[in-house]
Every structure is written in structure tokens, then in C-alpha cells.
Amino acid sequence: MSSRRSRSRQSGSSRITDEQISDLVSKLQDLLPEARLRGNDRVPSSRVLQETCSYIRSLHREVDDLSERLSELLATSDMSTAQAAVIRSLLM
Amino acid sequence: MRGPTAKAFKQGFLRSFLLSLKSCRTGDMSLQERKRAVRSSADAAMATARGGGAIWPRALLASSSSSPSSSSWPGLLLNAAKVKTTRCKSTARRCCRPKRSSSEMIARRLVRKRTKILRGMVPGGELLDSVSLLREAMDYVVHLRAQVAVLRRVSNAMHHMAATSYLTGLDLSRLAQGLLHRVCN
């Protein structure tokens, strides 16, 4: 199928794609928190990908925990216009 | 994300998020229902505030509108990715491939495997080629971080408000009126 077709083309175009990919991988590496990678220039792509997945997973977990916290704070009443206005003026 | 873009995103996110929360009748819900409502409000607000410059916001909004309460969107996307990759694996084995060193093959296999996992974590990832996926992942991570930051501040503000009104017996609506006056005048 299409994957077979792209594989036969791969030997010619793969070098360009590999460079693009390694450039993007290093940019991705710069985004990850320092604790996850030593900040070396020789971290393998597979490691960067792994840490990116792990980082996204932990960010999702944080959003989940914060959603839980917020839902507990909203337990007594709905978010009122007044409450929303207070929060916006505090944060913005 | 650079300064002004980050600020604009966070403000847009906050506005959409609070608007969404106000429209939910969270007071009538169970804790689990409320948590889901808050979570989907946050995700919808993040996608809306990001706008059209990436694929993931559209994918995120599409999956949150189609799946009302039960299955979470990562599960849906992961299942789609799984089907696709099984097909690719069987085709690859039948292909005659050029000779490569085994360590290179192992490295490539690991990169391929982890790219598949990443596809499942980024909304809309299963539709993208590797290069686009990496770009989307970067954009998504940056905005996820901003989402976490704003949610944390909202949570702290609400907690502070609740604590203050409890300790001082201050009427929250009166506090709000006062602040509204100051902000608007």
C-alpha cells in the first residue's frame, strides 16, 4: 500500500527528512524541563521522544489534578458572574 | 512561546474558561461530573484560545464534542493509531529492505515505536507525518504548560477567596461589586 511505496522512495529522500527530523528533535529537547535531560547535545532522538511523551503525560495529570481541585472549590455553588469577575481582575 | 503571544493566549484562555464554567450548572453536579466539566472546559478553552495556527486545537475540540462524557480523547486517538500501525508492520516485513547495521535498526525501531506513542498523545497526531507531528508536539507542550499555569492561578485565587470570606465573614458578592466598580471606572 502507500507505506510500501514510501519505503522504496526512502533511500533517496531519507537523508533530507532525517536532517529535518533531527533539527526538530533538538528543538523539542530544548522544551523539556532540565531535570529530564542533561541538556547535552548528544541525546538520542528516541530518548527525546520518550521524555516528550512522559512530559505530556505529566502535564495532563496536572491539568486533571487542578480540575479536581477547582471542582472541589466549586462544590458549594456555581461559578457566578461576580466570582468570575474577581478572578479575572486578580489575574489580568 | 514569546511574551506577548503567551499573555494573549493566557488571557484568551482565562476568558473562555471562566465563561464556560459560568454556563455549567456545576452546583447541581456530582464531584466526578464537575471534575469532567471543569476538565473539558479547560481543554475547550485552550483549543479556542490557540486558534487556527495548529492542528491539535481542532482535533481537541472535535473529540470533546463527539465524546460527551465517557471515553477520553487520548483513548480514541490511540485506538485509531493502533489500527494503522498494525497494518504498516505487516507490510514492512514483506518488503525487502536494504542491509543496515543492527544497532541502527534498533535505534530506528525505537524511534518509530516512540513516535507512535507520541501520535497518541497529541490531538490529531495520528493524521500527521513525522515532521508535522514533532512541530505539533512542540506547540502542544508549550500551550499545555500555559494551561497548567493559568489553572493553578485560578485555583489559588478561588481558594484564597474562599478562605478570606470564611475567615473574615466577608460577603463575596459585596467584594465582587467593589472590585467591579474599580475595574470599570
Side-chain angles (χ1 to χ4, degrees):
Chain A
M1 279 184 61
S2 60
S3 56
R4 212 179 285 151
R5 245 184 282 135
S6 61
R7 274 185 207 288
S8 60
R9 269 208 297 249
Q10 203 176 25
S11 44
S13 61
S14 64
R15 210 176 297 139
I16 300 162
T17 314
D18 282 351
E19 259 183 57
Q20 268 185 297
I21 289 178
S22 69
D23 177 57
L24 287 171
V25 167
S26 72
K27 286 200 175 103
L28 196 53
Q29 185 185 332
D30 292 336
L31 278 184
L32 300 174
E34 272 181 33
R36 292 179 176 262
L37 295 163
R38 289 288 158 191
N40 292 337
D41 42 22
R42 234 57 195 115
V43 178
S45 306
S46 57
R47 182 77 202 283
V48 175
L49 287 170
Q50 185 186 43
E51 289 305 327
T52 305
C53 292
S54 168
Y55 187 39
I56 292 176
R57 224 174 271 126
S58 77
L59 287 168
H60 285 161
R61 225 175 5 242
E62 270 196 87
V63 175
D64 224 45
D65 291 344
L66 286 164
S67 300
E68 187 160 351
R69 244 181 102 189
L70 277 166
S71 60
E72 282 162 6
L73 290 163
L74 285 166
T76 47
S77 56
D78 297 349
M79 167 75 70
S80 65
T81 312
Q83 204 173 17
V86 170
I87 293 167
R88 279 186 67 182
S89 62
L90 284 172
L91 266 50
M92 300 209 314
Chain B
M1 234 190 325
R2 274 173 248 121
T5 324
K7 191 174 180 189
F9 171 75
K10 284 179 177 176
Q11 286 184 351
F13 169 76
L14 181 63
R15 198 174 302 124
S16 299
F17 179 57
L18 291 174
L19 208 70
S20 178
L21 284 183
K22 273 196 292 175
S23 63
C24 296
R25 312 284 266 115
T26 52
D28 298 334
M29 296 179 188
S30 69
L31 186 68
Q32 280 308 308
E33 286 174 326
R34 224 178 302 128
K35 182 185 166 181
R36 250 180 273 129
V38 171
R39 178 71 202 260
S40 63
S41 295
D43 284 341
M46 177 173 75
T48 308
R50 177 59 184 91
I55 301 290
W56 66 262
R58 268 171 275 169
L60 189 52
L61 282 172
S63 60
S64 65
S65 61
S66 59
S67 54
S69 53
S70 50
S71 50
S72 58
W73 55 262
L76 285 170
L77 294 181
L78 206 57
N79 285 329
K82 268 189 201 149
V83 171
K84 220 184 174 195
T85 54
T86 326
R87 242 185 279 142
C88 287
K89 256 191 204 158
S90 55
T91 338
R93 260 185 245 126
R94 270 181 262 136
C95 266
C96 35
R97 309 164 105 250
K99 285 188 185 136
R100 286 204 180 93
S101 71
S102 55
S103 61
E104 203 186 315
M105 275 177 74
I106 290 167
R108 281 179 181 272
R109 200 175 294 150
L110 208 51
V111 166
R112 256 202 307 273
K113 176 183 160 188
R114 287 170 181 176
T115 304
K116 281 172 205 166
I117 299 171
L118 185 61
R119 273 185 212 289
M121 310 224 58
V122 176
E126 82 287 357
L127 308 166
L128 303 171
D129 60 275
S130 306
V131 170
S132 305
L133 175 68
L134 292 174
R135 288 207 185 97
E136 285 285 316
M138 281 192 276
D139 195 80
Y140 185 53
V141 162
V142 154
H143 289 88
L144 267 177
R145 276 209 292 242
Q147 182 193 41
V148 166
V150 176
L151 286 176
R152 196 176 287 134
R153 291 185 71 198
V154 171
S155 172
N156 290 339
M158 282 184 67
H159 183 77
H160 183 75
M161 274 159 45
T164 308
S165 62
Y166 175 74
L167 289 171
T168 64
L170 199 70
D171 185 354
L172 185 66
S173 56
R174 284 181 59 198
L175 172 71
Q177 296 301 328
L179 266 163
L180 274 168
H181 271 283
R182 255 188 279 155
V183 166
C184 297
N185 298 339

